[in-house]
Amino acid sequence: MAQHFSLAACDAVGFDLDHTLCRYNLPESAPLIYNSFAQFLVKEKGYDKELLTVTPEDWDFCCKGLALDLEEGNFIKLADDGTVLRASHGTRMTAPEALAHQYGGKPWKHFPGDVGPAGRSGKYYFYDNYFDLPGALLCARVVDSLTKQNNGQKTFDFWKDIVAGIQHNYKMSAFKENCGIYFPEIKRDPGRYVHTCPEPVKKWLRQLKSAGKVLLLITSSHSDYCRLLCEHILGNDFTDLFDIVITNALKPGFFSHLPSQRPFWTLENDEEQEALPSLEKPGWYSQGNAVHLYELLKKMTGRDEPKVVYFGDSMHSDIFPARHYSNWETVLILEELRGDRDGKPEESEPLEKKGKYEGPKAKPLNTLSKKWGSFFIDSVSGLENTEDSLVYTWSCKRISTYSTIAIPSIEAIAELPLDYKFSRFSSSNSKTAGYYPKPPLILSNNETLTTK
C-alpha cells in the first residue's frame, strides 16, 4: 500500500454530519443529551431523582472507548489484545487487585477481536462518540442508584429503559412533534449547541466541488434535523455544496447491508415516500446502501472503480464499516487530538470574549479523564520487582487499523492544497504516522510501546 494519501486522488468525498462537518459545543451539548435521558427515566420510569443532578466533577467519568457490560453494570477499558486495563462498577472504579481477580489478565469475554465491528448486542455496548458519552455517565449512575437501593444488586435490566428513552427523544417524528427535551432545545437556540462552519471549511468544500469531486453527505440524522443543522452551520444554500445527501442512513447498516435489505427511499416534506430498486441520479434520499451508491458514483465519474474517501467521527458507524465493507479511504475526526495537549482543553473562544466567572464548567468530553487515563495508551502492572509496561488501548489500535488518517477537525486541513500528501496509517509506517498535524502528545512521548 502507498505510504501517502491525497484528496486530489479521490473521485468522491463523503462526510458524516454530527461531530464531523458539524462541530458541537461539547460543554453545552453533553448536559442537554444527559438531561434528555435522565428526565425520561425519572418522570416516565420512576428512577431516582438524584440522576437529575450532575456536578462538573461527574463528567470526568466520560471517556470514549469504554464498554458497558449490560448485565453486570461494569464499565471496562480494553487493551489492544482485549485484556481489561481498568474497570468500574457504576462510577466506582475497581481496585487493581480486584481487577486482576475478576478479569485475570485474559481477553474480556465479549471481546470482538481485531476484525469484528465494535459490536453492540443485548449483552454489551461500546461508547465511541459524543452523542453516546453522556449516556455512559447516566448508565453508570443508574447502576450506582440500583446497587444502593437493592442492597448490592448483582445483575441489571435497565437497558430496555435507556432504549425507550432513545425512542422517546430521538425517533424519526420527534423533531417534527417536539418530543422530549433535545430537539425543542436545539431548535430554540442552535447557536448555543453547535459551531458554525469556519469560512476556510466552506471555501474548501467549494474548492473540492470545483475540482470535480462528487460531494456526499451521509448522516444517520433525519432530514429535518439535518436541514436545521446545515442551514445553521453552512447557510441556506448548503444543498448547492453536495451532489448527494443521504439522511436516516442507519449506519453502520448503510455499509454492511445488502441493497435488498436497505433500499433508498425518496423524500417529500421530510417523509419517506417510495423505495427505489436502484439509485439513478443525484439528489436527497433516505436510508439506502453503499452498493447502490457506488453504482451511481461509477456513472457520475465515468470510472469503473471510483476512489471514495469518507470523513466521520465514529469508529463503529463510520470508519470501520466504510473501510471493512466498502474499502473506502477513511478520515477519522478525533477531537481527542484537540484536547490532548497536556490534558488542557482548547479554548472555544478568546478569553477576552468570555463573561464573568460563572462557576465551574463541565470538563470538555475530549479532554483527559482522571478516572480512565489516556484514550490512546495505558499502563499494565508488572509482576513483582518488574516495572509497569505501557500498552496501546484497543481504541488506539483500531484507529491505526481502519483509518487512513486521523485529524482533530476538518478545519485542521481546510487550508492545505488538495494534492497535499498525508502520511497514512499502514503496516509499513510507524503507528503514529497517520495523525495530522501531529500525533497525540502521549504517543509522541512513548514511541516504543508494548504490543501485547
Side-chain angles (χ1 to χ4, degrees):
M1 185 185 281
Q3 293 206 352
H4 294 95
F5 162 74
S6 167
L7 285 166
C10 297
D11 302 298
V13 185
F15 300 94
D16 174 42
L17 179 59
D18 299 286
H19 301 286
T20 298
L21 263 182
C22 177
R23 273 190 59 225
Y24 283 74
N25 180 12
L26 297 178
E28 295 288 352
S29 64
L32 176 61
I33 293 167
Y34 179 96
N35 286 332
S36 73
F37 286 110
Q39 295 276 3
F40 176 82
L41 291 185
V42 171
K43 291 179 178 174
E44 303 296 328
K45 299 294 181 179
Y47 282 74
D48 195 313
K49 287 181 181 171
E50 282 186 8
L51 293 176
L52 300 176
T53 306
V54 186
T55 68
E57 293 74 29
D58 288 334
W59 289 102
D60 182 61
F61 184 82
C62 293
C63 177
K64 274 200 327 202
L66 301 182
L68 167 59
D69 185 315
L70 298 175
E71 292 175 344
E72 297 177 358
N74 295 334
F75 286 81
I76 61 166
K77 179 184 181 183
L78 293 172
D80 57 2
D81 66 347
T83 53
V84 178
L85 292 166
R86 303 191 193 201
S88 73
H89 183 68
T91 63
R92 198 181 77 251
M93 300 304 292
T94 305
E97 301 78 22
L99 188 77
H101 176 73
Q102 188 167 357
Y103 296 104
K106 300 190 196 83
W108 181 49
K109 61 185 176 183
H110 299 307
F111 180 53
D114 289 342
V115 294
R120 291 165 182 181
S121 74
K123 295 186 182 297
Y124 60 92
Y125 191 90
F126 276 96
Y127 290 90
D128 89 329
N129 64 72
Y130 294 124
F131 264 146
D132 277 351
L133 270 189
L137 174 61
L138 179 65
C139 286
R141 299 186 75 214
V142 165
V143 171
D144 290 348
S145 174
L146 293 175
T147 304
K148 183 175 163 188
Q149 284 174 24
N150 301 322
N151 297 320
Q153 181 173 334
K154 291 286 187 284
T155 58
F156 298 87
D157 189 29
F158 61 84
W159 189 249
K160 64 183 187 302
D161 296 330
I162 300 293
V163 172
I166 294 171
Q167 178 65 9
H168 174 71
N169 281 284
Y170 301 100
K171 63 187 175 185
M172 197 165 183
S173 60
F175 185 93
K176 190 176 285 186
E177 296 170 0
N178 276 327
C179 278
I181 289 172
Y182 183 81
F183 287 130
E185 180 59 19
I186 294 276
K187 283 186 196 177
R188 188 187 67 78
D189 190 3
R192 178 178 176 182
Y193 299 101
V194 300
H195 299 293
T196 55
C197 259
E199 201 52 49
V201 172
K202 295 181 191 175
K203 185 179 175 185
W204 177 77
L205 290 170
R206 292 192 291 268
Q207 189 184 357
L208 286 167
K209 186 104 171 169
S210 300
K213 312 300 179 191
V214 177
L215 263 59
L216 317 167
L217 183 61
I218 308 173
T219 173
S220 291
S221 288
H222 297 132
S223 54
D224 42 16
Y225 184 52
C226 171
R227 185 176 288 105
L228 173 84
L229 289 183
C230 287
E231 286 179 352
H232 181 76
I233 68 171
L234 292 167
N236 292 340
D237 59 350
F238 76 92
T239 52
D240 295 343
L241 290 170
F242 301 101
D243 298 280
I244 300 169
V245 176
I246 301 165
T247 50
N248 193 29
L250 301 171
K251 298 175 292 181
F254 179 85
F255 296 102
S256 63
H257 281 37
L258 297 170
S260 59
Q261 297 172 294
R262 193 64 66 73
F264 282 95
W265 288 74
T266 58
L267 280 168
E268 192 175 308
N269 298 323
D270 297 316
E271 300 283 345
E272 293 179 349
Q273 299 294 315
E274 179 190 357
L276 299 173
S278 60
L279 196 61
E280 297 298 329
K281 60 184 181 181
W284 189 318
Y285 300 95
S286 187
Q287 297 195 44
N289 61 87
V291 174
H292 279 168
L293 173 60
Y294 197 66
E295 290 302 315
L296 177 58
L297 291 177
K298 288 180 185 179
K299 288 201 287 190
M300 292 176 70
T301 62
R303 295 184 183 275
D304 291 335
E305 294 184 356
K307 189 172 183 179
V308 187
V309 59
Y310 187 64
F311 288 69
D313 69 295
S314 168
M315 181 59 66
H316 171 78
S317 300
D318 302 318
I319 303 304
F320 172 81
R323 169 61 58 83
H324 183 73
Y325 297 109
S326 300
N327 200 30
W328 290 1
E329 300 279 15
T330 52
V331 178
L332 176 65
I333 304 298
L334 190 63
E335 289 206 35
E336 280 70 18
L337 295 175
R338 301 177 70 89
D340 165 71
R341 302 283 125 182
D342 295 313
K344 294 172 185 167
E346 178 181 311
E347 291 291 348
S348 58
E349 57 183 345
L351 284 171
E352 61 268 19
K353 285 191 179 179
K354 290 183 183 277
K356 290 182 181 175
Y357 181 66
E358 299 169 351
K361 289 281 187 187
K363 173 191 84 77
L365 299 188
N366 59 357
T367 52
L368 187 71
S369 162
K370 290 175 185 154
K371 281 182 184 283
W372 293 104
S374 168
F375 173 72
F376 301 98
I377 64 172
D378 212 336
S379 59
V380 175
S381 296
L383 300 171
E384 263 185 82
N385 304 321
T386 63
E387 290 185 5
D388 290 0
S389 57
L390 290 173
V391 297
Y392 292 106
T393 63
W394 188 59
S395 299
C396 184
K397 183 180 181 181
R398 287 173 72 78
I399 292 170
S400 59
T401 304
Y402 297 111
S403 313
T404 303
I405 60 172
I407 60 178
S409 64
I410 290 175
E411 191 179 359
I413 66 168
E415 295 186 82
L416 297 174
L418 294 186
D419 60 359
Y420 182 88
K421 287 184 167 54
F422 294 93
S423 293
R424 66 189 299 146
F425 290 115
S426 74
S427 55
S428 56
N429 276 348
S430 82
K431 284 191 180 292
T432 59
Y435 292 104
Y436 180 89
K438 58 184 80 166
L441 196 62
I442 198 160
L443 292 185
S444 302
N445 294 343
N446 295 280
E447 281 287 357
T448 54
L449 276 169
T450 306
T451 302
K452 294 186 74 185

